[in-house]
Amino acid sequence: MTKFAAFSSISLTGVYFASILLVLVALACGYLVGRGIGRRRKARGEDASMGSAVAATLGLLAFMLALTFNMTADRFGQRKAMLLDEVNAIGTTFLRTDFLNADNRARARELLREYVSLRSFDPRAMTADDFRRDILRSEQVHRALWALVEREIAVGTDANRLRAFYEPLNQLIDLHTTRVQVGLAYQVPVPIWAALYAISALAVFGIGFQLGVSGSGSKLVALAMAMAFSLVILLIADLDRAGEGMLVVDQAPMKELGEQLRSRPDDR
């Protein structure tokens, strides 16, 4: 996470207003420069060449926006899929506690109920300290569950019975690592953000320049298009962050699993 802390530490509101400011400044600078040149040069050939350059820059910007959006949208889909995988792994591990001895079975179920409560959270309501504490406790629960496997081995539990428990437990532990990495460490690299903003500024500057040179065209339409670029950038930043913004993975499946596990009586 440290490699991306500089950009991720900026709130989405800050990203939005910074994008708007960049767009407005680039558009205004382009218009002023183009207007100054347009007063001295009226050649139509220059306008045609300039229009081609602006169109090419806009095409490159569209490509960068599409590329970055696909990166973040795919990772958002992965986070949703991994949540369901983890819910299934926890549920299966809980069911397979039936293969443990009575004392270990009760302890395993207690730990799994706690684990579900740790994994069922609202990302937008958590602080960084809360998150680190829950991650640390989750890893402690992993070790405690694996210690139960070692106890079962020590008392000579049948290997096939024990395998039925520790295989979904292995999957549960692996999914924890994967969710943490994909949700936090895997983000759009800073160089791509820098390139996206640079190309956005150049494209909007070109639009303003063309308006200034030609002295025609709708400034409101150009401004609306530039603002639309800002909104797309904001959407990309929102998708890129697992614990902030409007687009976060719904934790309802994990909450429902927690309710099911807490309502299940320990009859054995």
Side-chain angles (χ1 to χ4, degrees):
M1 293 178 57
T2 55
K3 291 189 288 187
F4 312 112
F7 185 81
S8 298
S9 61
I10 304 173
S11 68
L12 288 175
T13 303
V15 171
Y16 179 57
F17 284 110
S19 301
I20 291 178
L21 180 62
L22 176 69
V23 164
L24 292 177
V25 170
L27 186 64
C29 290
Y31 179 78
L32 292 175
V33 172
R35 186 176 179 183
I37 293 176
R39 289 174 179 174
R40 300 190 299 269
R41 301 181 180 180
K42 302 295 184 179
R44 293 288 182 180
E46 291 181 358
D47 291 345
S49 175
M50 177 186 59
S52 299
V54 171
T57 307
L58 288 173
L60 180 59
L61 175 59
F63 171 77
M64 283 294 299
L65 288 172
L67 176 66
T68 314
F69 181 86
N70 285 336
M71 289 174 58
T72 55
D74 287 346
R75 196 159 54 250
F76 182 77
Q78 290 175 11
R79 293 199 297 267
K80 292 174 65 176
M82 285 186 297
L83 171 66
L84 295 178
D85 289 342
E86 187 174 45
V87 168
N88 291 331
I90 296 172
T92 301
T93 305
F94 190 91
L95 291 174
R96 300 290 178 83
T97 57
D98 289 344
F99 294 100
L100 302 178
N101 294 319
D103 292 341
N104 292 334
R105 181 189 311 133
R107 177 58 177 161
R109 290 177 176 177
E110 178 186 352
L111 289 169
L112 288 169
R113 289 188 179 105
E114 179 187 359
Y115 190 71
V116 170
S117 67
L118 291 170
R119 312 300 283 180
S120 177
F121 57 88
D122 182 358
R124 290 168 293 197
M126 293 190 71
T127 65
D129 290 338
D130 292 337
F131 179 79
R132 284 191 291 268
R133 185 188 63 245
D134 286 356
I135 290 296
L136 178 61
R137 180 54 189 162
S138 296
E139 293 170 351
Q140 292 172 346
V141 171
H142 294 161
R143 291 191 291 270
L145 287 168
W146 196 254
L148 297 180
V149 175
E150 295 175 346
R151 290 184 193 175
E152 293 288 330
I153 293 174
V155 298
T157 301
D158 181 73
N160 290 327
R161 286 172 56 88
L162 190 57
R163 184 181 299 113
F165 173 75
Y166 70 68
E167 284 184 348
L169 177 59
N170 276 334
Q171 183 183 14
L172 183 152
I173 295 172
D174 291 343
L175 284 169
H176 164 79
T177 302
T178 304
R179 285 193 69 193
V180 170
Q181 291 299 312
V182 173
L184 297 176
Y186 293 173
Q187 294 181 323
V188 175
V190 171
I192 293 182
W193 279 118
L196 184 59
Y197 274 107
I199 295 172
S200 298
L202 287 173
V204 176
F205 180 89
I207 294 173
F209 185 85
Q210 189 174 28
L211 287 174
V213 169
S214 65
S216 61
S218 173
K219 299 179 181 63
L220 289 178
V221 171
L223 181 60
M225 184 171 63
M227 297 292 285
F229 290 148
S230 298
L231 287 174
V232 174
I233 292 175
L234 175 65
L235 181 60
I236 292 171
D238 197 342
L239 284 169
D240 195 41
R241 302 185 186 188
E244 184 182 359
M246 299 296 294
L247 301 173
V248 295
V249 175
D250 186 5
Q251 302 293 315
M254 189 69 74
K255 293 178 181 178
E256 292 173 2
L257 176 64
E259 294 173 359
Q260 293 173 8
L261 298 189
R262 286 189 293 270
S263 64
R264 174 171 173 172
D266 289 330
D267 53 353
R268 288 197 265 173

